[in-house]
Amino acid sequence: MAFGMHYIVSAFLVAIAHSTEVVHTRSGSGSGSSDVAAYEAFRSRHGREEIPGSASYEMRLKVFSQRRAAVKAHNADPNKIWVAGINKFADMMDEEYKAMLGYRRVHTTPAVQAPIMRGASFVQVENEYVDYSKEEKDYKFLKSSTFLREQGACGSCWAVAAVGALEMHGELYEKMSPVQQLSFKQMMDCTPNPHHCGGSGGCSGATAELGFGYAESHGIVAEKEYKDGDTDGKCREFHHAPALQPHGFTKLPENQLMPLMSSLYEKGPIVVSVDAEPWSIYQSGVFNGCAQNATVNHAVLLVGYGTDGASGDYWKIRNSWGSDFGEDGFMRIQRHSSDQGKAGFCGTDHDPRVGVGCDDAPATLPVCGMCGILSDSSYPKV
């Protein structure tokens, strides 16, 4: 997978970690004695099995020490609006973190608004969108909002996010009875990707739009009905009627604030693409740690927006890294009041072949919003 992404949080945090004074110990890792003690407690809590003194142990201890220093440095900043923490990613290597990603956005231009899959409804007239910026919205009242998943070492975020959107729309519009978890593994295994949009498919990446297109043609069965037994990526036969079959999807205009907010308020949760590089030490609060130039590499489900009295406006997303990530599996990301220039926190994706994935990827693409959250979004029509 060519994600072009580095797990060492960001260049800034790595610089902090490298500049931190360390004390050499018996391990030879350059980590302080307090780091070794903290890492032993971390290993016990998360079930790490590397043998102390082994090369793998030493590498992970070094990474853990750097993360720990970065967390301390961030939390010492009196102007911070989010809290960093040591979590299950604290000793992961680059390739392990990359395996948790798998989203690459499909770029469309105003001149070419051809649908990606049949049934897709693309750009709507801008003046049809209503300004809901003074309102708040949160779909946590839906039972399906609690269907948290842990994608593990597989780039299946695109399928987890797309199936999550189907579940929540199915419940919201009373199209799914009973309300139940759908099989993201079916979508992951069975969605065709002939043009390699988002990767080579399955755990190697695809797009939510492709997933919605597959669901429109075949439907998605309940999670309990799709048994794959392993991770070989082969589409399994199933003999049950789909629990939900959408009739298309809508892809929203890229890098536009009002269509996203209006559609979220009126239609329901939306799959969005983001730059997840700096998220590994996020614990709580309104995250504002992404640079304006962002490389889109992850898909999540946008489930709300609001205003924090201390930290300002935010978007609320549900991630696919389990309930022990962030705020019980959710995360709040800074929301800007514009989609133009610096006020809209706009920049450039300088590596869109990582983010777009299709064979004809352009050299650069614009991205707007914190972590590029406005750059690519879609939702199913149930």
Side-chain angles (χ1 to χ4, degrees), residues 133 135-137 304-308 312-316 335:
S133 59
E135 306 291 334
E136 294 194 352
K137 194 70 175 181
Y305 67 91
T307 300
D308 183 284
D313 296 340
Y314 64 83
W315 299 105
K316 182 177 180 180
R335 173 168 56 91

Side-chain angles (χ1 to χ4, degrees), residues 158-163 166 183-192 202 207-208 210-215 219-220 226:
W158 61 277
V160 174
V163 165
L166 287 168
S183 177
F184 80 91
K185 289 185 178 180
Q186 178 198 347
M187 180 177 287
M188 184 178 69
D189 289 347
C190 301
T191 298
T207 68
L210 288 171
F212 289 147
Y214 168 80
I220 300 294
Y226 185 81

Side-chain angles (χ1 to χ4, degrees), residues 120-175:
S121 172
F122 268 61
V123 179
Q124 302 175 31
V125 179
E126 186 173 356
N127 61 16
E128 292 181 359
Y129 295 107
V130 179
D131 184 354
Y132 291 107
S133 59
K134 304 300 182 184
E135 306 291 334
E136 294 194 352
K137 194 70 175 181
D138 194 331
Y139 287 97
K140 64 182 179 183
F141 65 90
L142 294 173
K143 176 183 177 181
S144 52
S145 72
T146 65
F147 294 169
L148 291 163
R149 292 178 170 93
E150 168 69 76
Q151 69 180 82
C154 172
S156 59
C157 60
W158 61 277
V160 174
V163 165
L166 287 168
E167 290 166 341
M168 295 182 78
H169 279 257
E171 179 181 359
L172 187 63
Y173 292 97
E174 300 181 343
K175 299 294 186 179

Side-chain angles (χ1 to χ4, degrees), residues 23-44:
V23 179
H24 288 272
T25 69
R26 60 178 173 78
S27 72
S29 67
S31 300
S33 58
S34 65
D35 288 331
V36 174
Y39 187 48
E40 287 303 315
F42 173 89
R43 279 164 44 84
S44 177

